[in-house]
Amino acid sequence: VGSAQGTTTVAASGLILHGSDSTSGAFSQLGFVPTATQGDTSGNIDLHLKGGGLLMDSGNVTNAYTQIGHGGYGSTEGGTLEGGISITFCEPGDVTMEAGLSGNGTYALIGHGGNYWEGGRVGAISVTGANDLTMTGGNDLYSNVQIGHGGVATIGHHEGLISVDAAGDVLATGGTDTLAYVQIGHGGQNTGVFSGSSIGDSAIDVTAGGDVV
């Protein structure tokens, strides 16, 4: 669900995105998924949440990812994905991002792109007023977790301020298989392996009231 050119706005007590545990490619995404006949994407994404928090729970079969941002695995590559992503809590809520326990490509991403996306990705990303932020990588190939534009082996330019503000802890735990990394930042593992990849001079600001681990 998402608009290519207009603003996508969600206001709720909490938001849950679930990937499938039974159907390959059955992902859950808030953002526009381009096709071959559609050009560049430039719509902002604004989320306004309360204490119900944000849960991104990727599935346990191939490519059952979760994402807040434009693009996504399997969408048409080559265009520019642009627009700010703002997640604001009017009362503290937990943000939990979990890659799948099994199945290739069960990533969880707040950002534009996705694994193996080719094309530009530009726009500020902010998570403001959260309680705890927990990011957990998966147990299969390409089950990465990331706040930032990119993913595994992305090609193109990545740019935009990243700001994370949590009243509690920020906990990041990598997964157990190849490329099951956890990251706050643009790019991703193996970005730059192919020619044409670049990351702009974008600040990353992470503030926590508790521990950052």
Side-chain angles (χ1 to χ4, degrees):
V1 177
S3 173
Q5 309 299 332
T7 298
T8 300
T9 303
V10 174
S13 176
L15 177 64
I16 299 174
L17 300 179
H18 279 302
S20 176
D21 290 332
S22 59
T23 303
S24 295
F27 58 88
S28 182
Q29 182 171 350
L30 185 63
F32 188 73
V33 182
T35 67
T37 60
Q38 292 155 334
D40 296 340
T41 302
S42 62
N44 294 331
I45 299 174
D46 290 338
L47 275 65
H48 304 273
L49 303 175
K50 292 186 175 181
L54 171 62
L55 172 62
M56 299 176 67
D57 178 29
S58 298
N60 294 314
V61 291
T62 301
N63 296 331
Y65 65 86
T66 56
Q67 181 171 343
I68 297 174
H70 303 312
Y73 186 89
S75 55
T76 301
E77 301 176 356
T80 297
L81 306 175
E82 187 172 0
I85 300 172
S86 173
I87 302 173
T88 303
F89 289 86
C90 57
E91 60 186 45
D94 292 337
V95 176
T96 303
M97 303 173 66
E98 299 177 340
L101 298 178
S102 62
N104 292 353
T106 56
Y107 66 84
L109 173 66
I110 298 176
H112 301 319
N115 291 348
Y116 290 94
W117 175 273
E118 180 177 354
R121 291 154 293 266
V122 179
I125 300 172
S126 65
V127 179
T128 306
N131 187 34
D132 292 334
L133 168 62
T134 304
M135 306 169 68
T136 307
N139 297 334
D140 213 327
L141 288 168
Y142 318 127
S143 55
N144 45 295
V145 175
Q146 182 170 347
I147 298 176
H149 304 314
V152 173
T154 54
I155 303 173
H157 185 66
H158 311 65
E159 185 171 349
L161 169 71
I162 299 174
S163 176
V164 176
D165 171 32
D169 299 330
V170 175
L171 307 175
T173 305
T176 61
D177 209 325
T178 304
L179 302 176
Y181 66 87
V182 172
Q183 174 177 323
I184 298 177
H186 300 311
Q189 199 161 349
N190 288 346
T191 294
V193 170
F194 307 102
S195 62
S197 297
S198 61
I199 298 177
D201 186 12
S202 303
I204 300 172
D205 183 7
V206 177
T207 302
D211 295 330
V212 177
V213 182

